[in-house]
Amino acid sequence: MNTSGGPLAGKKILVTRPKNQADSLVKLIEENGGTPLSFPIISIKAVKNEQAAARLNQLNTFQWIVFTSKNAVDYFFRLINELGISLGDYKFAAVGEKTAETLRRHGITSILVPERYDAADLAETLKKHVLKDERILFPKGNLAPSFLKEELKSTAVVEEMVVYKTEPEDGLDWSLIDITDCFFFMSPSAVSFMIKGLSDSQNNMIYKTPVICVGPTTKTAAEKYGFKHVFMPSNFTAEDMVNCAISYFQGGR
């Protein structure tokens, strides 16, 4: 671990991402001299239920399959593989390049991706490409909002399908909160789970700690819960979150 130099030298950064998804972010922090503190507050588990199975058995009634997270991609493909369902000729859309990369790993090569990696821009992009009354399947997590369904309801039929659930992780070292210089949040769920898990004494001081959020939905959640110094990179990627933290600590904010 290189903590002797670099723009994040001496800074302890709390990484709230699940451990099995945090390697690249941890490495980036270390490469810039920071000290990542692992705090995987989110636990993600597969969901398999009769409703999802019934919907997948009618997959051929959909023209589009749309994803807003890599987790949704992975758990969707796990589910169809378990059910022995083959994919036909569908149109795919992804909220950002990381989600699109995950789709490519599953063999999908033609993917609609908005220029700006957020749900609002994805909805506007889809409105330009989806034909009237086409059917869209939207695999998602149990806590993901119904923003796309609402935004597209006058354009197409959007059916949501929960393929994974997000829960707070047990057994975390909450004392890390007290020594952290900056929080990294990758989802609104991570923000809400942290606030609910804090002690009263921690609640009094946590809101002054700077927060770097991966996108606008997470930033809105952090501000809603009362954080005073909330930042978001121009590009919604882990790499740019680290650059955003560097800019903050170098006085660029």
Side-chain angles (χ1 to χ4, degrees):
M1 181 186 300
N2 175 22
T3 58
S4 59
L8 293 178
K11 302 302 180 186
K12 299 180 181 67
I13 296 177
L14 199 79
V15 178
T16 59
R17 208 170 210 178
K19 276 187 176 179
N20 63 348
Q21 298 179 5
D23 287 350
S24 60
L25 184 55
V26 165
K27 186 177 179 183
L28 282 168
I29 294 168
E30 291 177 342
E31 287 175 350
N32 286 282
T35 302
L37 304 177
S38 179
F39 195 74
I41 196 167
I42 284 180
S43 173
I44 296 174
K45 298 175 182 174
V47 169
K48 183 178 180 181
N49 55 51
E50 292 182 358
Q51 185 180 21
R55 189 151 291 164
L56 287 174
N57 283 324
Q58 297 178 340
L59 196 58
N60 59 0
T61 65
F62 294 89
Q63 288 75 46
W64 287 84
I65 307 176
V66 176
F67 297 95
T68 58
S69 75
K70 68 178 294 299
N71 287 321
V73 176
D74 284 334
Y75 284 103
F76 170 79
F77 277 90
R78 178 187 293 189
L79 196 54
I80 64 170
N81 289 335
E82 288 176 357
L83 294 170
I85 295 173
S86 299
L87 281 181
D89 186 18
Y90 299 99
K91 292 175 274 192
F92 290 87
V95 72
E97 190 52 38
K98 294 293 184 184
T99 305
E101 280 181 19
T102 309
L103 269 171
R104 294 186 191 103
R105 286 200 292 272
H106 288 281
I108 307 301
T109 55
S110 180
I111 307 162
L112 180 67
V113 181
E115 290 186 6
R116 186 176 170 86
Y117 301 159
D118 63 19
D121 207 30
L122 175 60
E124 292 305 312
T125 303
L126 283 168
K127 288 177 183 177
K128 299 173 184 174
H129 291 82
V130 173
L131 302 177
K132 184 71 175 175
D133 297 328
E134 280 194 319
R135 287 170 55 80
I136 298 173
L137 184 64
F138 177 32
K140 63 173 206 167
N142 61 319
L143 300 181
S146 295
F147 179 81
L148 280 180
K149 186 173 184 177
E150 290 300 313
E151 285 295 306
L152 296 170
K153 62 184 178 184
S154 62
T155 305
V157 177
V158 181
E159 296 284 349
E160 299 179 335
M161 182 178 67
V162 174
V163 293
Y164 70 93
K165 61 181 177 180
T166 303
E167 299 176 335
E169 186 63 89
D170 296 324
L172 296 174
D173 180 3
W174 286 87
S175 68
L176 292 177
I177 301 293
D178 301 328
I179 63 170
T180 295
D181 296 298
C182 177
F183 301 130
F184 272 21
F185 287 125
M186 311 300 287
S187 70
S189 304
V191 182
S192 63
F193 290 165
M194 177 182 282
I195 296 301
K196 291 173 184 173
L198 291 171
S199 65
D200 289 341
S201 61
Q202 288 174 316
N203 255 321
N204 291 332
M205 52 78 67
I206 188 174
Y207 300 109
K208 295 180 181 178
T209 304
V211 170
I212 310 295
C213 297
V214 72
T217 306
T218 305
K219 181 173 183 284
T220 298
E223 291 171 337
K224 174 186 170 185
Y225 279 104
F227 286 97
K228 305 299 182 187
H229 309 288
V230 182
F231 305 102
M232 179 183 74
S234 300
N235 297 310
F236 308 147
T237 65
E239 291 83 357
D240 281 289
M241 289 180 72
V242 173
N243 290 333
C244 191
I246 292 171
S247 178
Y248 174 80
F249 285 117
Q250 290 184 334
R253 294 278 177 180

